[in-house]
């Protein structure tokens, strides 16, 4: 009798434009078996592509933690409300948006980010 091996969860943590592109890849089934996505300061420096990335995030079924900083660039900050609005519209139940009011390069903020990630992953069962 063959034993089935558990490979664990695949959790993607991506930042900046890579984070925005991950949503397109998941929605178009280019990345499969993803258990959760953590987006840090997700953006694409073109308004139409930025909006398309937000829509892709709302339409795929993978849980998303969307972290941004108050010091992020305008593309990130302009999309926050829109991503939250789309998550509600498409009833994305496992979507959490967090904004950290400070600079991401400070050690205290980095620890805060890791605590947010750990807490969210624990909340969704990982």
């Amino acid at each position: 009798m063959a034993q089935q091996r558990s490979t664990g969860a695949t959790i993607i943590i991506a930042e900046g434009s890579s984070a925005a592109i991950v949503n397109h890849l998941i929605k178009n089934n280019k990345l499969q078996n993803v258990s959760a996505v953590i987006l840090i300061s997700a953006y694409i420096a073109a308004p139409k592509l930025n909006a398309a990335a937000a829509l892709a995030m709302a339409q795929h079924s993978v849980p998303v933690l969307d972290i941004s900083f108050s010091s992020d660039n305008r593309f990130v900050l302009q999309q926050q409300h829109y991503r939250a609005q789309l998550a509600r519209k498409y009833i994305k139940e496992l979507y959490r948006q967090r904004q950290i009011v400070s600079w991401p390069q400070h050690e205290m903020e980095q620890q805060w980010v890791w605590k947010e990630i750990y807490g969210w992953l624990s909340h969704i069962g990982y």
Side-chain angles (χ1 to χ4, degrees), residues 5-37:
R5 294 174 79 190
S6 175
T7 58
T10 302
I11 299 167
I12 296 174
I13 300 175
E15 184 175 12
S17 57
S18 298
I21 291 168
V22 161
N23 291 304
H24 286 291
L25 295 173
I26 293 171
K27 181 180 179 245
N28 295 321
N29 294 316
K30 303 292 184 191
L31 288 174
Q32 298 177 352
N33 301 320
V34 176
S35 302
V37 176

Side-chain angles (χ1 to χ4, degrees), residues 15 19 31 47 52 71 78 88 90 92 95 103 112 121-122:
E15 184 175 12
L31 288 174
S71 59
Q78 289 170 348
R88 283 189 303 275
Y90 287 91
K92 187 166 188 82
Y95 174 78
W103 295 91
W112 184 276
L121 288 173
S122 297

Side-chain angles (χ1 to χ4, degrees), residues 44-53 74-75 78-79 82:
I44 299 176
K48 287 184 181 179
L49 294 176
N50 215 4
R74 65 185 171 95
F75 297 107
Q78 289 170 348
Q79 286 295 306
Y82 185 58

Side-chain angles (χ1 to χ4, degrees), residues 80-93:
Q80 285 178 306
H81 179 72
Y82 185 58
R83 285 194 303 266
Q85 187 178 36
L86 286 173
R88 283 189 303 275
K89 178 179 178 179
Y90 287 91
I91 310 170
K92 187 166 188 82
E93 294 178 16

